[in-house]
Amino acid sequence: MNDPHNDDTLVAEQSQAPDTTMAMVVYALFLASFVVGFTGIVGLVIAYIYRGKGPQWLDEHYRYQIRTFWIGVVYGLICLVLALIGIGFLLMLVLAVWMIIRCVKGFKGLQEKRAPLNVDTWLI
């Protein structure tokens, strides 16, 4: 009997699917930066290295990750300045939630093999 989902078919399908491991690692490193601060920079470097080496939807993840890092830096600097008047500490909590949501959104897109929604937004 000829089974369309035999081992050879599965191996062929898996070899054609792009490897999303490094994109997942970048999201994980961004989240780990809450505990170990420098992992976000490592994730940024990885995103720059792997950008442009896969299908468009995967490249959009790397673009999204790069934007997430740099927008987060801008928001973080604004929080530091506003910490002088007290409101910055509350905004740092908002920034942490923003980062977590963007990483979860990215993980979900990777699992669904599609680009994250609204890559160009400064929000979520």
Side-chain angles (χ1 to χ4, degrees):
M1 188 170 198
N2 200 0
D3 183 10
H5 293 305
N6 64 19
D7 290 337
D8 293 335
T9 305
L10 290 175
V11 170
E13 288 174 2
Q14 290 173 351
S15 66
Q16 293 173 356
D19 187 12
T20 60
T21 304
M22 293 313 291
M24 286 186 189
V25 166
V26 173
Y27 288 122
L29 288 170
F30 282 177
L31 293 174
S33 68
F34 288 110
V35 179
V36 184
F38 67 89
T39 60
I41 295 170
V42 174
L44 176 68
V45 170
I46 291 171
Y48 272 118
I49 290 171
Y50 280 86
R51 180 179 63 168
K53 295 188 173 151
Q56 183 177 359
W57 68 267
L58 187 55
D59 288 343
E60 287 295 301
H61 276 279
Y62 292 121
R63 185 168 160 254
Y64 182 72
Q65 292 164 340
I66 291 165
R67 287 179 54 80
T68 297
F69 180 88
W70 290 115
I71 292 169
V73 167
V74 169
Y75 287 161
L77 291 173
I78 292 170
C79 290
L80 284 175
V81 170
L82 292 176
L84 297 173
I85 59 173
I87 194 170
F89 298 109
L90 177 62
L91 291 177
M92 285 180 199
L93 184 61
V94 172
L95 175 59
V97 170
W98 174 84
M99 177 68 86
I100 292 168
I101 290 172
R102 283 182 67 102
C103 288
V104 168
K105 181 179 156 183
F107 272 124
K108 186 173 187 245
L110 281 173
Q111 289 176 337
E112 296 171 357
K113 304 258 188 271
R114 62 163 177 79
L117 303 173
N118 302 323
V119 174
D120 292 325
T121 186
W122 279 61
L123 300 174
I124 297 171

